[in-house]
Amino acid sequence: MKLLWILLGGAIFGFGLALSGMTKPEVVLAFLNFDDFGLMLVMAGGIAVTALAFHFGPRLRAKPPCGEYEPPDAKLRRGTVLGAVLFGIGWGVAGICPGAMLASLGTGNWPIVYGIVGAFLGAYAQGRWAPEE
Amino acid sequence: MNLFPNGWWPYLAGGLLVGAGIGGIFLTTGLRAGASSFFTTTWSWLSRHDYFQRPVFRDARTWRLAFTLGLLVGASLFAARSPQDFVTRVAPWRLLVGGLLVGFGTRLSRGCTSGHGICGISAGSKPSLLAVLVFMAVAILVAHAMRAAGVTP
């Protein structure tokens, strides 16, 4: 049951990413180049709804139907900022981020496979040669 | 200056759905679903290396795979009814190099646009807000530099 909820939530997330154009690197690059600020609306809408769920969920119900409420991870680590710098370079070079590139594959954007392969290799390199804690 | 030359409602509606997906997963399972961890937890099936075999990754690999399948299914449902062309013209080398940096960087930072950007900020996490300001600023600088250098598409 838990996996079905996750699959459904992921599908709503993925539909939203495709509807908003975030699955297209061109649309993300248009934001980063200040041609179209739509990405800000996507972030604002996503944060507004998620913040409501995070805030009111645990107050309305002690336990979710499947599992426990996970506490937020708000720890500043050595890698937090350095990792964000490297991610920012990659995002600026290609206009792709993790959720959007995975959803993008669902839209039939086959060249995104280059990005997904790159992300798997990058995550492997991080785990092998720059693990934390 | 028009901030939204291609309209605003698909962005806002898409963003609200992104929040509905992440919020819905939290309300039903208690999980905070960022996307980038999938690139690490999936390696736990393939690599015996200690890092990837940590319980924190092994225990999450199944739900993170389900989450990713959901992303693919949801996006494909939209694409199936849309006349848009979804195939990017951005050069393969940019996607590969960008992907490498995105994979390495998000996992080192422990979050991406969804993990730090949506989940972290929604939880009021200051480190996440810092990460978002840093990756936004860097990405804006890099994208402008790429355009100035004449790299298109």
Side-chain angles (χ1 to χ4, degrees):
Chain A
M1 194 61 215
K2 180 181 156 190
L3 289 179
L4 280 178
W5 285 122
I6 290 166
L7 193 69
L8 178 65
I12 296 169
F13 186 176
F15 190 97
L17 285 173
L19 168 64
S20 64
M22 297 296 107
T23 56
K24 295 179 179 177
E26 283 86 346
V27 177
V28 175
L29 291 171
F31 163 72
L32 296 174
N33 279 306
F34 296 159
D35 296 329
D36 182 334
F37 285 82
L39 187 144
M40 287 282 98
L41 295 177
V42 182
M43 290 300 289
I47 290 168
V49 177
T50 304
L52 286 173
F54 282 6
H55 183 79
F56 289 108
R59 284 170 178 78
L60 295 173
R61 206 170 182 182
K63 252 169 77 90
C66 307
E68 305 276 345
Y69 289 117
E70 189 179 31
D73 173 4
K75 195 170 157 194
L76 183 66
R77 297 177 174 82
R78 272 189 312 161
T80 304
V81 171
L82 178 59
V85 170
L86 297 173
F87 168 38
I89 297 172
W91 202 30
V93 166
I96 55 177
C97 61
M101 74 171 106
L102 293 167
S104 191
L105 190 61
T107 66
N109 180 15
W110 61 268
I112 207 73
V113 170
Y114 287 106
I116 293 174
V117 168
F120 270 117
L121 295 177
Y124 183 81
Q126 183 273 329
R128 286 301 303 271
W129 299 297
E132 282 212 78
E133 291 175 27
Chain B
M1 181 181 171
N2 186 353
L3 297 180
F4 307 110
N6 299 302
W8 56 271
W9 78 264
Y11 295 120
L12 187 59
L16 294 172
L17 286 172
V18 166
I22 296 177
I25 288 174
F26 182 72
L27 293 178
T28 51
T29 68
L31 295 166
R32 297 171 191 265
S36 73
S37 295
F38 168 75
F39 291 111
T40 296
T41 59
T42 301
W43 280 112
S44 73
W45 271 300
L46 304 168
S47 167
R48 290 169 182 273
H49 192 268
D50 290 349
Y51 181 80
F52 300 107
Q53 292 303 321
R54 289 180 183 181
V56 64
F57 298 137
R58 283 180 61 106
D59 296 349
R61 63 188 181 181
T62 305
W63 81 257
R64 291 204 179 269
L65 180 63
F67 179 56
T68 296
L69 287 177
L71 288 175
L72 287 158
V73 169
S76 68
L77 287 175
F78 176 78
R81 287 153 192 277
S82 167
Q84 296 174 40
D85 177 9
F86 289 94
V87 179
T88 185
R89 267 74 174 168
V90 172
W93 75 265
R94 288 176 71 178
L95 298 172
L96 185 64
V97 172
L100 278 167
L101 287 159
V102 168
F104 191 98
T106 55
R107 297 315 302 143
L108 183 62
S109 185
R110 301 246 191 138
C112 56
T113 2
S114 53
H116 281 315
I118 294 181
C119 294
I121 288 180
S122 294
S125 159
K126 290 197 178 90
S128 284
L129 179 63
L130 175 65
V132 172
L133 293 174
V134 169
F135 69 64
M136 283 258 177
V138 171
I140 287 166
L141 286 173
V142 169
H144 277 78
M146 298 268 297
R147 177 177 281 187
V151 182
T152 52

